[in-house]
Amino acid sequence: MGSLCAIGEPLRVQGFAMAGAVVLPATEPEQVRRAWQSRPAGVEVVVLTPAAAAVLGTAVDEPGGPLSVVLPS
């Protein structure tokens, strides 16, 4: 079974750790891109903050990549 990962501003993603998600805090665009590239193997779902999703754009649509979910604003 795959895992869950959350990427974005620390205050918006830190709670996902309590549910067992891998949390990759990132506030600056380069941090967001690095977090996306360094997500652990086997991650099937990535929760993104709206700001992180805006930085990544269509990169989240890579074939065979994880399902991406954007938190509401």
Side-chain angles (χ1 to χ4, degrees):
M1 182 171 169
S3 60
L4 175 73
C5 179
I7 300 173
E9 303 90 308
L11 288 176
R12 298 211 55 196
V13 298
Q14 66 187 5
F16 288 95
M18 293 173 53
V22 174
V23 175
L24 302 173
T27 52
E28 299 299 321
E30 187 54 38
Q31 291 174 325
V32 171
R33 286 188 279 277
R34 270 196 310 266
W36 178 259
Q37 293 298 323
S38 67
R39 68 190 185 277
V43 167
E44 291 183 1
V45 178
V46 178
V47 176
L48 299 166
T49 62
V55 168
L56 293 172
T58 59
V60 300
D61 298 328
E62 64 189 31
L67 171 66
S68 299
V69 178
V70 181
L71 295 172
S73 300

